[in-house]
């Protein structure tokens, strides 16, 4: 079968790879749609050593995908060939200290699809049956491919403990920032501000429910203070992963406010801890999701949330290497690009 594999930083290629076999407790999924994640692009562009470049991760990325069950292994109940599903890529073990505490997103033995195991940039994938969540019918396969990043956004808002009527700054209008925005709107956030340099992304944020979409070139902290009556935001969500936006979040959030780090930082970040102490601010990391994945799926397939405005393009496997290069050259050009491996 065909798949797209990471070769080296800046290089992806279409390959023939072995067909997956349905081991006991697994199903084979014909991939319908797989989203390109910003973390995949980070790995693709990273000039220095990476786990994937070092061979610690297998080469076929892709962890945001839907598909149709093609075959089932022994011991699989509740799924049959023809069932449409969205795949939870985490693969928590269920037995470790963290899983026993319900903290499955930080499972110490997690086997992630697209990382340790082959991901969705392929025609078919072997998936542990409990990672394949049911969809009502095939008409949801495209929109449900955004379940994974939406779950990340829901988790970020949950980690920030955003209460109804509280103000929130979302630094970054890429997919995670926009999904955090949708989650904040559903939570009933008071003043919701999105800081994003690209005008089309600011316009999208306003369509999705932001009260204000500001250009960080004009000082995000100053604008946030003005829009909150000089107090600062209750919560800030950093959704980019660079020092400048983290600085903006810390300066824009009020005393005793919370900053959630949702962006992927690939370099060290320095912080003045005295300021943190004096203002009694809280910094929280967020990783993946727990119950938020199923919640995201439910919100999408119920029609309560329309994620289709975030779908920018659809490409084939053959187009994927060039698409990676295009995204790497201009991150702001797209929101979510979906790969169709069987198109």
């Amino acid at each position: 079968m065909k798949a797209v594999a990471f070769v080296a930083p800046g290089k992806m290629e279409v390959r023939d790879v072995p067909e997956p076999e349905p081991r006991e407790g697994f199903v084979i999924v014909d991939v319908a749609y797989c989203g390109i994640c910003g973390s995949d692009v980070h790995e693709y562009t990273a000039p220095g050593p990476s786990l994937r470049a070092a061979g610690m991760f297998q080469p076929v990325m892709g962890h945001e995908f839907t598909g149709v069950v093609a075959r089932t292994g022994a011991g699989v109940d509740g799924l049959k060939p023809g069932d449409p599903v969205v795949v939870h890529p985490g693969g928590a073990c269920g037995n470790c200290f963290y899983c026993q505490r319900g903290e499955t997103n930080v499972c110490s033995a997690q086997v992630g699809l697209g990382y340790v195991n082959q991901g969705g940039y392929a025609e078919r994938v072997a998936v542990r049956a409990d990672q394949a969540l049911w969809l009502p019918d095939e008409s949801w396969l495209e929109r449900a491919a955004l379940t994974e990043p939406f779950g990340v956004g829901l988790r970020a808002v949950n980690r920030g403990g955003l209460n109804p009527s509280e103000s929130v700054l979302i630094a970054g209008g890429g997919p995670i920032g926009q999904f955090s925005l949708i989650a904040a709107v559903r939570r009933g956030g008071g003043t919701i501000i999105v800081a994003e340099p690209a005008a089309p992304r600011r316009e999208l944020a306003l369509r999705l429910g932001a009260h204000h979409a500001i250009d960080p070139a004009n000082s995000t902290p100053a604008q946030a203070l003005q829009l909150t009556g000089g107090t600062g935001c209750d919560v800030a969500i950093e959704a980019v992963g660079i020092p400048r936006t983290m600085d903006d979040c810390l300066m824009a959030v009020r005393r005793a406010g919370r900053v959630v780090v949702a962006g992927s930082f690939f370099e060290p970040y320095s912080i003045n801890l005295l300021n943190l102490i004096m203002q009694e601010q809280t910094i929280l990391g967020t990783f993946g999701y727990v119950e938020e994945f199923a919640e995201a799926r439910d919100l999408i397939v119920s029609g309560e949330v329309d994620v289709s405005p975030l779908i920018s393009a659809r490409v084939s496997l053959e187009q994927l290497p060039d698409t990676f290069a295009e995204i790497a050259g201009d991150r702001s050009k797209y929101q979510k690009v979906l790969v169709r491996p069987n198109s």
Side-chain angles (χ1 to χ4, degrees):
M1 70 172 183
K2 298 292 184 183
V4 169
F6 173 89
V7 178
K11 186 176 182 181
M12 307 275 279
E13 69 178 17
V14 180
R15 290 180 180 174
D16 287 312
V17 300
E19 287 280 353
E21 291 297 324
R23 294 177 286 155
E24 182 175 357
F26 279 69
V27 298
I28 304 302
V29 174
D30 284 334
V31 180
Y33 296 91
C34 183
I36 297 176
C37 179
S39 63
D40 292 345
V41 180
H42 273 300
E43 287 194 73
Y44 171 81
T45 58
S50 70
L51 292 175
R52 200 173 306 267
M56 296 182 69
F57 291 150
Q58 53 74 48
V60 181
M61 302 178 179
H63 56 272
E64 307 175 0
F65 64 98
T66 58
V68 176
V69 175
R71 300 164 61 193
T72 62
V76 173
D77 295 318
L79 288 173
K80 64 183 185 305
D83 284 347
V85 295
V86 57
V87 175
H88 185 308
C93 73
N95 300 312
C96 70
F97 170 84
Y98 300 102
C99 286
Q100 292 300 309
R101 291 169 56 89
E103 299 165 348
T104 53
N105 59 323
V106 291
C107 166
S108 59
Q110 194 158 191
V111 180
L113 293 167
Y115 293 93
V116 177
N117 289 339
Q118 179 208 297
Y121 298 159
E123 292 178 315
R124 281 167 290 284
V125 182
V127 174
R128 208 171 68 195
D130 64 340
Q131 293 176 250
L133 280 66
W134 173 85
L135 294 174
D137 58 64
E138 292 189 21
S139 69
W140 292 102
L141 287 169
E142 180 175 90
R143 282 165 286 180
L146 276 65
T147 296
E148 199 276 346
F150 186 22
V152 172
L154 288 168
R155 180 72 177 177
V157 169
N158 285 345
R159 286 286 287 161
L162 182 68
N163 295 310
S165 80
E166 283 193 313
S167 57
V168 57
L169 166 69
I170 298 168
I176 298 306
Q178 302 286 8
F179 281 120
S180 297
L181 164 62
I182 294 171
V185 171
R186 285 193 54 80
R187 186 64 67 84
T191 300
I192 304 175
I193 306 165
V194 174
E196 165 57 45
R201 287 183 166 184
R202 293 198 300 272
E203 293 165 7
L204 176 60
L206 292 171
R207 297 207 319 266
L208 293 175
H211 300 109
H212 306 279
I214 62 176
D215 187 343
N218 299 321
S219 176
T220 293
Q223 293 179 84
L225 286 169
Q226 181 181 23
L227 293 170
T228 56
T231 304
C233 295
D234 298 292
V235 178
I237 298 174
E238 199 290 330
V240 182
I242 60 174
R244 177 181 172 179
T245 48
M246 188 64 189
D247 289 343
D248 286 347
C249 287
L250 286 167
M251 289 187 287
V253 78
R254 65 170 173 83
R255 296 179 184 179
R258 293 95 72 194
V259 176
V260 179
V261 185
S264 297
F265 278 79
F266 288 88
E267 296 180 2
Y269 173 75
S270 297
I271 183 170
N272 186 330
L273 291 176
L274 182 59
N275 285 345
L276 195 72
I277 293 168
M278 296 296 291
Q279 301 199 56
E280 204 178 51
Q281 294 170 330
T282 302
I283 298 176
L284 302 121
T286 182
F287 179 71
Y289 29 73
V290 183
E291 69 279 356
E292 292 90 355
F293 188 92
E295 180 186 359
R297 184 274 312 265
D298 293 345
L299 289 171
I300 291 171
V301 302
S302 68
E304 292 184 55
V305 170
D306 181 13
V307 296
S308 58
L310 279 88
I311 300 173
S312 301
R314 302 153 187 85
V315 300
S316 67
L317 277 181
E318 287 72 19
Q319 295 170 310
L320 186 54
D322 288 341
T323 302
F324 256 80
E326 188 178 3
I327 294 172
D330 183 1
R331 298 288 186 92
S332 66
K333 184 174 181 179
Y334 298 111
Q335 280 291 342
K336 186 57 67 174
V337 176
L338 299 180
V339 185
R340 301 185 62 191
N342 288 286
S343 65

